[in-house]
Amino acid sequence: MRKIGVIIRKEWSEVFKNRFVLFTVAFLPLVLTAIPIIILYSMSTSGDAGAIGLGDIPGNVNELCPGMSGGECSQYFLVSQFMLLFMMIPLMIPVTIASYSIVGEKTTRTLEPLLATPISTIQLLAGKGLAAVIPAALASWGSFAIFSVAAHFIASGPNVSARLRDPLWLMAIFVVGPLMSIAAVCVAVMISSRVNEPRAAEQLSMLLVIPLLALFFGRIAGFVLINEALIMWMAVALVLIDAGLIALAINLFQRDTILTRWK
Amino acid sequence: MIVTENLTKFYGSVKAVEGLTLRVEPGEVFGFLGPNAAGKTTTVRMLCALIGITSGHASVAGYEVGKEDHQIRCNTGILTEAPGLYDQLSAERNLGIFAQLHEVEDVAGQVERYLRMLGLWGRRNDPVGTFSKGMRQKLAIARALLHEPKVLFLDEPTSALDPEAARLVRTFIADLKQEGRTIFMCTHNLDEADRLCDRIAIFRTQLLALDTPSALRRKLYGRTSVFHLRNAGPKFVKILQSTANVHEVQMVDNKLLATLDDPEKQNPELVRSLVDAGADVQFVGELRRTLEDVYLRFVQSPAEQQEAH
Ligand SMILES: Nc1ncnc2c1ncn2[C@@H]1O[C@H](COP(=O)(O)OP(=O)(O)OP(=O)(O)O)[C@@H](O)[C@H]1O
Ligand SMILES: [Mg+2]
C-alpha cells in the first residue's frame, strides 16, 4: 500500500508540472460547470421560459417532469443535457493524466529502473491508475457541488434544483463517473503501451467520449431517455467492463512484455 | 555472489544468450565485454529478474532467478543501459522515490549520504534536468545503491559520456570498488575494464573467454620482452633464437621482441649474451599488450582479423 502511495505522489508531482495536463485538469471542469450555470441563469432571467408548454419538449421527457410546469421541465431538460457533458470530466482527466504518466515513463526511460525495484506490477498499475482517477473524481464532485449550490439559487423553481440533485444525477456523478474513469485509465494504459507520444495516446483514448456523445445526441433526438433505470444499467455494465479491462491491462503490463515489446 | 549455469535466452527465434556459465565472487568487480548485440543487456536483465530466462539456472545473492525474483530485486541494484531520471523533479526527490520503493529505513539519511558523496548536496533542490550528463549518470548509479544492494549491475556506465564525464563516473566506480562491493559491469571501454575489473568475461552470445586481464593477455600472447639496441641487426636475432625457451623473436626498428616463459629469469642471461656479442643495450622492458588486442582476437572472426591487419 505504501508503495502505491509513493507512486501516486510521484505521478502528481511530475504530471502536474506539465502545463497541458494542468490545463485539462483545471480548465475542463471550470468550463463544464460554467456552461450549465450560465444556461440556467439566462433561462431564469429571460422570463419567457414560463411560456414554453409541456408540448414543446420531446414527449418522453415529460415523464421525467412530474409536477413541473413546462418552463421548469424545459429548464431541467436543457441543463441535464449539459450535465451529460459534465460526465466528460471523469473521462478526459484520467485519460490525460494516464497517457502522460505512462508514455512519459517510456520517453524518459525510467520504466526499467522502476521495474527493477521490488514493486509489483499491480502496485505500479494501481498507483498510476489511482493517480489519474482520484483527481478526476475530486474535480467532478467539486464541480457538481458548485453547480448544485449555484442551481439552488438561480433555478426558476425549487422543483428544478431538487430534480438536479435527485438520486439519478447523484448516482451518475458519484458512481458512474468513477467507474467511467477506471475504464478510461485502463484503455489509456493499453494504448500507451503501443504509442510513443503522450498526445497520441491521449487522443486515441479520447475516442471513449464517443458513447457519451451518442447518449447526448440520442437524448436530443429523443431516442434515449435518461432515467434511473438507464443509469443503473450503465453502472452495472461499467462494473463488468471495468473488471474485464483491468484484467486485460494487468495482463498486457507484465515486466517481460513491457521491456521487450514496449518500443 | 552470482552463479549462472547454462543460462540461455531466446527472443522468439533470435538467440541472444546461449549456455552462459560463470561465477562472480563477493567483492569482485566483474567485467562483461562484448560487441553490440552480444547479449550483455539481455544477460543483465535476466540476472536482475527483469525478463524471464528461456532455460538454464542463475542465482544472484543466493536467490534463484525466476523463483525468488522479489528477493533478487531487493538485493540488486541496476544502472540500466539508458537510465532515465525524472527531469522535472529535484535530485533529492528522484532518489527519495527509489529509496521509498526499496523500503529503505532511513530514507532522508540515505539520500543525504549519497548526495553528499556525489557532491550534489548543495544542488539537491535543483531539477535534475539541469544537471550535466556525468552528474546524471552518477545520480543514476547512486539511485541503484540506496538500498545497499549486495550486487550492483552497471550496463555500460560510461558509453554515452564525453571523456571528462566518463572519468567522473569511472572514479566513482573505483570508489565503490574500494568499498568492497560486488559489481557486474558491461562495457565497451577496454581500458576501463582493464583498470577496474578483477576478472573479465569476453562474450558474444556465448562465453568466449574468462580470466583476469593479465592472465588473458598472457594466455594469448605469452610474455614478451623488448630489447632496445642502438645497433640492432639480424645477428642479434639469431643469438636470441638460438637460446633455449625463447619462442618467437622479431625485430621492429631498433627493437628486438622475444616471447619468453619466464622473463624475470631469462632477461639477465639474454642481455649478457647480447652484450657479449657486441650489442649496445639501451633499455629492456616488457611489451604490454593492450586488452584491446586480446578482445579483438576473441571477438573478431578470422576474416575480420585479416582485414584489420
Ligand atoms: N526485445 C527484444 N526482442 C527481440 N530481440 C531482442 C530484444 N532485445 C534484444 N534482442 C536481440 O538480442 C540480441 C542481444 O541484444 P542485447 O541488447 O542483449 O545486446 P547488447 O550486448 O546489450 O548490445 P549493445 O552493446 O548494443 O547494448 C540482439 O541480437 C538483439 O537484436
Ligand atoms: Mg546493451
Side-chain angles (χ1 to χ4, degrees):
Chain A
M1 260 335 258
R2 276 236 305 276
K3 286 179 192 165
I4 298 179
V6 173
I7 296 291
I8 293 179
R9 264 174 283 133
K10 185 223 116 197
E11 294 311 331
W12 286 348
S13 57
E14 218 193 359
V15 103
F16 289 131
K17 289 226 166 75
N18 183 308
R19 254 184 245 140
F20 185 78
V21 174
L22 211 56
F23 181 79
T24 309
V25 174
F27 197 68
L28 187 75
L30 223 63
V31 170
L32 291 180
T33 316
I35 292 177
I37 292 179
I38 291 169
I39 291 175
L40 207 56
Y41 181 74
S42 59
M43 281 179 89
S44 309
T45 49
S46 63
D48 52 334
I52 301 174
L54 279 174
D56 300 331
I57 309 170
N60 51 11
V61 173
N62 286 333
E63 298 166 22
L64 294 173
C65 307
M68 285 191 203
S69 73
E72 281 175 337
C73 190
S74 63
Q75 212 175 43
Y76 169 68
F77 175 73
L78 209 72
V79 171
S80 65
Q81 189 66 31
F82 278 93
M83 291 202 24
L84 263 182
L85 285 189
F86 208 78
M87 300 303 281
M88 274 166 64
I89 297 174
L91 269 184
M92 287 176 70
I93 290 180
V95 162
T96 306
I97 296 178
S99 297
Y100 274 84
S101 90
I102 291 169
V103 181
E105 207 90 61
K106 268 207 281 188
T107 52
T108 56
R109 300 185 170 268
T110 40
L111 200 54
E112 191 175 355
L114 205 55
L115 290 173
T117 65
I119 185 174
S120 71
T121 318
I122 296 188
Q123 285 170 327
L124 184 61
L125 265 187
K128 287 197 172 277
L130 287 172
V133 170
I134 293 172
L138 292 181
S140 51
W141 295 344
S143 308
F144 183 70
I146 293 171
F147 171 72
S148 310
V149 172
H152 180 73
F153 289 110
I154 54 183
S156 55
N159 272 336
V160 179
S161 68
R163 282 294 278 138
L164 288 172
R165 273 178 282 121
D166 72 4
L168 182 141
W169 289 110
L170 289 180
M171 196 151 119
I173 299 288
F174 287 94
V175 179
V176 173
L179 287 172
M180 277 165 51
S181 296
I182 293 171
V185 164
C186 292
V187 170
V189 166
M190 286 185 264
I191 290 177
S192 298
S193 72
R194 296 277 167 238
V195 301
N196 286 316
E197 242 287 332
R199 297 292 290 269
E202 194 197 1
Q203 278 152 16
L204 274 174
S205 314
M206 286 297 178
L207 296 179
L208 279 171
V209 177
I210 290 176
L212 194 66
L213 291 179
L215 216 55
F216 180 80
F217 290 110
R219 188 162 187 250
I220 289 183
F223 293 139
V224 189
L225 179 67
I226 294 189
N227 54 19
E228 267 135 53
L230 181 72
I231 298 284
M232 277 285 271
W233 281 116
M234 272 172 72
V236 171
L238 276 168
V239 166
L240 296 177
I241 291 172
D242 283 351
L245 285 175
I246 289 173
L248 199 60
I250 290 175
N251 240 312
L252 283 178
F253 202 92
Q254 294 301 327
R255 261 162 234 257
D256 218 328
T257 327
I258 302 167
L259 287 177
T260 55
R261 302 223 188 96
W262 278 37
K263 286 285 153 58
Chain B
M1 199 50 83
I2 304 173
V3 181
T4 73
E5 214 187 292
N6 268 320
L7 189 63
T8 300
K9 175 75 185 183
F10 280 86
Y11 291 108
S13 61
V14 178
K15 183 166 56 182
V17 175
E18 187 184 25
L20 177 65
T21 301
L22 54 79
R23 271 186 93 86
V24 177
E25 304 301 330
E28 189 174 17
V29 177
F30 189 88
F32 203 56
L33 269 57
N36 289 125
K40 302 181 297 293
T41 301
T42 303
T43 304
V44 167
R45 284 180 170 175
M46 284 192 282
L47 294 177
C48 289
L50 283 166
I51 57 176
I53 59 185
T54 307
S55 66
H57 292 279
S59 75
V60 178
Y63 298 105
E64 176 86 14
V65 174
K67 295 206 181 91
E68 298 166 298
D69 287 352
H70 182 78
Q71 276 92 336
I72 287 178
R73 289 184 200 119
C74 293
N75 286 289
T76 56
I78 177 174
L79 174 79
T80 54
E81 193 164 23
L85 297 163
Y86 299 114
D87 283 350
Q88 316 254 15
L89 306 184
S90 69
E92 192 173 25
R93 189 97 166 80
N94 262 281
L95 294 188
I97 289 166
F98 279 78
Q100 285 173 318
L101 290 178
H102 274 291
E103 298 180 52
V104 169
E105 268 178 31
D106 177 17
V107 171
Q110 215 31 12
V111 169
E112 178 174 348
R113 184 168 109 82
Y114 277 98
L115 284 174
R116 285 192 189 281
M117 190 165 157
L118 298 179
L120 282 176
W121 182 243
R123 296 189 60 187
R124 63 185 177 279
N125 292 320
D126 295 358
V128 299
T130 64
F131 286 13
S132 76
K133 263 192 167 175
M135 275 304 166
R136 293 166 60 87
Q137 192 77 341
K138 281 182 21 173
L139 200 63
I141 298 176
R143 176 175 69 185
L145 287 169
L146 290 163
H147 55 296
E148 304 298 338
K150 294 199 175 118
V151 187
L152 177 64
F153 290 89
L154 302 173
D155 195 351
E156 300 188 17
T158 58
S159 67
L161 305 177
D162 67 26
E164 198 190 329
R167 207 173 119 191
L168 256 152
V169 169
R170 215 169 286 138
T171 322
F172 185 46
I173 299 172
D175 292 345
L176 298 175
K177 180 186 165 114
Q178 287 298 313
E179 292 178 9
R181 296 184 190 259
T182 310
I183 301 176
F184 185 100
M185 179 165 83
C186 299
T187 178
H188 285 302
N189 187 317
L190 298 159
D191 190 42
E192 165 181 303
D194 207 355
R195 272 188 283 164
L196 291 173
C197 299
D198 300 311
R199 281 193 308 152
I200 284 175
I202 298 177
F203 177 81
R204 183 184 205 168
T205 313
Q206 292 167 319
L207 190 61
L208 302 174
L210 170 61
D211 217 323
T212 63
S214 55
L216 282 175
R217 272 193 276 265
R218 204 159 49 231
K219 255 191 230 164
L220 268 193
Y221 294 102
R223 292 180 68 190
T224 306
S225 289
V226 187
F227 304 90
H228 290 249
L229 307 185
R230 193 161 54 196
N231 53 348
K235 185 173 94 179
F236 303 119
V237 175
K238 287 219 181 67
I239 290 175
L240 294 183
Q241 277 171 339
S242 58
T243 313
N245 296 324
V246 176
H247 302 295
E248 208 191 306
V249 184
Q250 265 183 297
M251 188 167 77
V252 181
D253 301 329
N254 64 336
K255 295 182 286 270
L256 301 183
L257 285 75
T259 306
L260 310 175
D261 290 335
D262 187 354
E264 281 81 2
K265 215 175 116 204
Q266 289 172 277
N267 279 344
E269 296 164 21
L270 291 174
V271 170
R272 207 168 295 131
S273 37
L274 286 171
V275 169
D276 287 347
D280 294 335
V281 179
Q282 292 173 305
F283 305 101
V284 180
E286 181 164 19
L287 179 71
R288 254 180 83 86
R289 298 281 179 175
T290 62
L291 190 59
E292 190 175 333
D293 297 330
V294 177
Y295 172 79
L296 291 176
R297 272 274 285 268
F298 276 112
V299 160
Q300 287 182 334
S301 62
E304 286 169 325
Q305 280 178 29
Q306 279 293 310
E307 217 169 278
H309 277 296

